[in-house]
Amino acid sequence: MKVIAVGMNYAAHNQEMQHALKRTEPTIFMKGDSVLKDGKPFFIPGFSTEIHYETEVVIKICRLGKNIAEQFACRYYEEVTVGIDFTARDLQTKLRSEGLPWEISKAFDNAAVTGRFIPLAEAGNINQLAFHLDINGQTVQQGNTCDMIFSTDEIIACASGFFTLRMGDLIYTGTPAGVGTVNIGDHLQGYLGDRKLLDFYVR
C-alpha cells in the first residue's frame, strides 16, 4: 500500500504558509508506510517540537491503474474518509532552508492518520465535501473540497502518470487553512459533513 499526498492544494493554506508558487499541476509527495488507523494514539516523536496537524479528505484506490485519463479517474475510488497529514514543521522548515529534501518531515512512522472509510455514495459529491477537525471539543480547521485547486480526478490523473495505483493505495488530497500544533493529551476528532470518522488521542 502506498500513501500519496498533495501539497499546496488550497489557496488559503498557501497564503497562511506564505507559499507563492503557482502550479500548473498538483504537487505530489509520498508519505511512505506511515499509516495510523483504528483510533490508535499518535505519539509525538522525539525529533520534533512542532508537530502540525493537516486535515484532509482521503480516498482509497479500488482498482489497478496507470496513466489514467482524468475523465476515467472516478472509476478508481469508491470510498472516502477524513485523515491527518502530520508534519514535523520545524524539521521541514530547516530542510527547506538548506535546499534539502523534506520527505522525512512528512513520512515518519504514523504520520498519516486515517479515519473510517465510508462509501462515496453515502458521503456525497467528491467535489463538494465539507470536513472539519475538532481538538478538545473545539473546531480548529475546516474546509470543503470545492475549494481545492486541483480536483480529486486531476490528482489521480497526475499521480498515475508517475506511479501505478493499486487497490488499497491512499491519496491525501490537500489541507485547507487552519493548520496548527498538537500537544500531548489532545483529543482529535475528524468529521466529513456531520459524520465523525476519526477519533484519537495524542500521547
Side-chain angles (χ1 to χ4, degrees):
M1 180 190 71
K2 297 185 293 296
V3 181
I4 299 171
V6 180
M8 299 179 285
N9 202 24
Y10 286 80
H13 173 60
N14 294 344
Q15 185 175 9
E16 76 173 345
M17 299 303 294
Q18 299 181 336
H19 292 315
L21 293 176
K22 292 185 178 180
R23 301 287 293 171
T24 58
E25 61 184 24
T27 300
I28 303 290
F29 63 93
M30 307 295 288
K31 286 187 70 71
D33 183 15
S34 59
V35 176
L36 178 68
K37 56 184 180 178
D38 301 326
K40 294 178 181 177
F42 171 79
F43 290 88
I44 294 179
F47 55 76
S48 176
T49 59
E50 190 182 3
I51 297 293
H52 276 201
Y53 59 81
E54 298 187 8
T55 314
E56 314 197 4
V57 168
V58 183
I59 62 166
K60 183 188 294 184
I61 298 299
C62 64
R63 61 192 293 187
L64 184 71
K66 173 70 175 175
N67 293 320
I68 301 164
E70 182 183 337
Q71 61 265 38
F72 301 124
C74 61
R75 301 178 182 178
Y76 289 81
Y77 57 97
E78 298 174 342
E79 294 181 286
V80 65
T81 191
V82 64
I84 305 293
D85 167 19
F86 275 125
T87 304
R89 191 71 70 198
D90 48 355
L91 180 58
Q92 184 188 48
T93 300
K94 175 180 180 294
L95 293 169
R96 276 180 167 164
S97 70
E98 297 171 356
L100 297 173
W102 42 267
E103 182 180 23
I104 58 173
S105 71
K106 287 277 195 178
F108 57 89
D109 287 348
N110 300 325
V113 185
T114 59
R116 175 174 56 88
F117 280 90
I118 60 173
L120 187 60
E122 294 181 15
N125 185 341
I126 190 66
N127 296 313
Q128 296 180 347
L129 294 181
F131 60 100
H132 69 275
L133 175 70
D134 289 356
I135 297 183
N136 304 325
Q138 299 294 320
T139 298
V140 295
Q141 190 179 23
Q142 53 191 337
N144 193 300
T145 56
C146 69
D147 295 321
M148 294 199 307
I149 297 170
F150 299 101
S151 70
T152 300
D153 291 352
E154 289 175 301
I155 293 167
I156 288 174
C158 178
S160 67
F162 298 98
F163 311 106
T164 298
L165 301 184
R166 305 181 187 278
M167 289 182 62
D169 287 350
L170 304 181
I171 297 181
Y172 281 62
T173 59
T175 195
V179 302
T181 56
V182 292
N183 299 288
I184 293 173
D186 282 346
H187 183 197
L188 278 66
Q189 296 174 300
Y191 293 79
L192 199 58
D194 59 1
R195 191 186 304 236
K196 183 170 69 176
L197 301 180
L198 184 68
D199 193 330
F200 68 101
Y201 286 86
V202 176
R203 300 301 188 198

